[in-house]
Amino acid sequence: MSDIISFKADLNRFAESIDKKVEAVIRQIVIELFNAITLHNPVDTGYSRSNWRIGVNEPDETVSVPPSDKARADTKNRTGWIEAPQLDLSILSNLQSTDSVFVTNSVDYVQYLEEGSSKQAPSGFLRISVAQIEAQVDDIVQRAKEAA
């Protein structure tokens, strides 16, 4: 009987270690995807770029207040005057392997930017970002394994 209990405890420890590694991989993929998207997001004022959000188990549909017409006029010749977002890593601190993670932008024109309406970047900046991270998944997994 104690062999069964010991075996069960070993299985539980193994499952927990796998979960931690999966969580580390998910966390790193989300971080790298967020960074790639905000890097490739076309920038005029930076408003759409500043509205990328991460949500765990539900999308974060928060949108910051858009710049006023006066603010836009005052900085007409300045590109990207709204700072790029900084990812709040605390959002991912309690991430579990069974969680869903959403990378969202609720600015009403972000779809048009993806379709190529901007002169600042090619169409498909989201698809480019996702493809870039997909190509790096093996490296991300390896780094997560080494860190764990």
Side-chain angles (χ1 to χ4, degrees), residues 98-111:
T98 56
D99 288 338
S100 297
V101 180
F102 297 86
V103 180
T104 57
N105 188 322
S106 295
V107 170
D108 59 358
Y109 59 87
V110 77
Q111 176 183 348

Side-chain angles (χ1 to χ4, degrees), residues 23-44:
E23 291 160 6
V25 168
I26 293 169
R27 192 173 295 109
Q28 194 60 41
I29 288 172
V30 169
I31 290 168
E32 299 211 13
L33 180 60
F34 182 87
N35 290 338
I37 289 171
T38 58
L39 175 69
H40 294 119
N41 192 123
V43 175
D44 178 15

Side-chain angles (χ1 to χ4, degrees), residues 2-74:
S2 72
D3 287 343
I4 293 173
I5 293 171
S6 176
F7 179 67
K8 183 178 178 184
D10 289 344
L11 284 177
N12 286 337
R13 278 192 297 278
F14 177 71
E16 285 177 23
S17 74
I18 294 295
D19 277 348
K20 296 295 177 204
K21 289 176 184 170
V22 169
E23 291 160 6
V25 168
I26 293 169
R27 192 173 295 109
Q28 194 60 41
I29 288 172
V30 169
I31 290 168
E32 299 211 13
L33 180 60
F34 182 87
N35 290 338
I37 289 171
T38 58
L39 175 69
H40 294 119
N41 192 123
V43 175
D44 178 15
T45 64
Y47 181 62
S48 66
R49 180 181 62 184
S50 71
N51 275 283
W52 286 102
R53 307 282 190 253
I54 301 294
V56 176
N57 292 323
E58 63 183 9
D60 179 346
E61 298 175 346
T62 306
V63 178
S64 62
V65 176
S68 68
D69 289 341
K70 180 177 179 354
R72 286 184 59 99
D74 289 348

